């Protein structure tokens, strides 16, 4: 988890018939891997999740992506290897909630 970190750019995400966004491009905290399969090299990526903030919990979901909402948080995820504080949910009230 310390060596293959990546940023997954986004401006909104979808959970249970709702779109969530912050009004500007941000990034998910992600991990990538490259391995050899029967058909050659395969590259995969996953995004990390955390406990939901009240915005996401309010639509009945039990997790949310780890959102990196500032340049400092994005740099810390990639460069500094920050872990524990990175898994905190986004601050309550920061997300714009839109119906499907």
């Amino acid at each position: 988890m310390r060596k293959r970190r990546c940023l997954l750019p986004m401006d909104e995400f979808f959970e249970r018939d709702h779109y969530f966004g912050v009004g500007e491009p941000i990034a998910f905290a992600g991990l990538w891997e490259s391995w050899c399969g029967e058909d050659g090299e395969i590259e995969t990526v996953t995004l990390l999740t955390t406990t939901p903030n009240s915005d996401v919990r309010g639509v009945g979901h039990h997790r949310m992506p780890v959102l990196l909402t500032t340049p400092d948080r994005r740099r810390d995820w990639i460069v500094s290897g920050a872990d524990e504080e990175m898994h905190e949910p986004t601050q309550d009230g920061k997300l714009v909630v839109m119906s499907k």
Side-chain angles (χ1 to χ4, degrees):
M1 186 163 144
R2 294 191 189 280
K3 294 182 181 180
R4 292 190 169 89
R5 294 175 181 214
C6 64
L7 300 175
L8 302 168
M10 55 78 70
D11 57 5
E12 63 185 25
F13 64 97
F14 183 78
E15 295 285 358
R16 298 235 177 157
D17 296 326
H18 294 85
Y19 286 95
F20 296 88
V22 296
E24 62 186 80
I26 59 175
F28 293 137
L31 300 171
W32 66 272
E33 182 62 81
S34 180
W35 53 281
C36 287
E38 288 182 14
D39 297 326
E41 187 173 14
I42 298 172
E43 294 181 347
T44 60
V45 67
T46 190
L47 63 94
L48 293 148
T49 60
T50 187
T51 57
N53 67 5
S54 64
D55 304 322
V56 176
R57 192 172 45 253
V59 299
H61 213 60
H62 66 281
R63 66 176 181 232
M64 68 180 287
V66 174
L67 302 177
L68 306 174
T69 57
T70 66
D72 287 343
R73 282 181 54 91
R74 291 188 285 274
R75 185 193 65 242
D76 289 348
W77 173 246
I78 296 295
V79 177
S80 302
D83 280 329
E84 292 305 316
E85 64 274 8
M86 300 306 292
H87 297 285
E88 294 295 319
T90 301
Q91 184 179 21
D92 290 342
K94 186 156 178 90
L95 296 173
V96 176
V97 182
M98 304 162 276
S99 294
K100 182 176 172 182

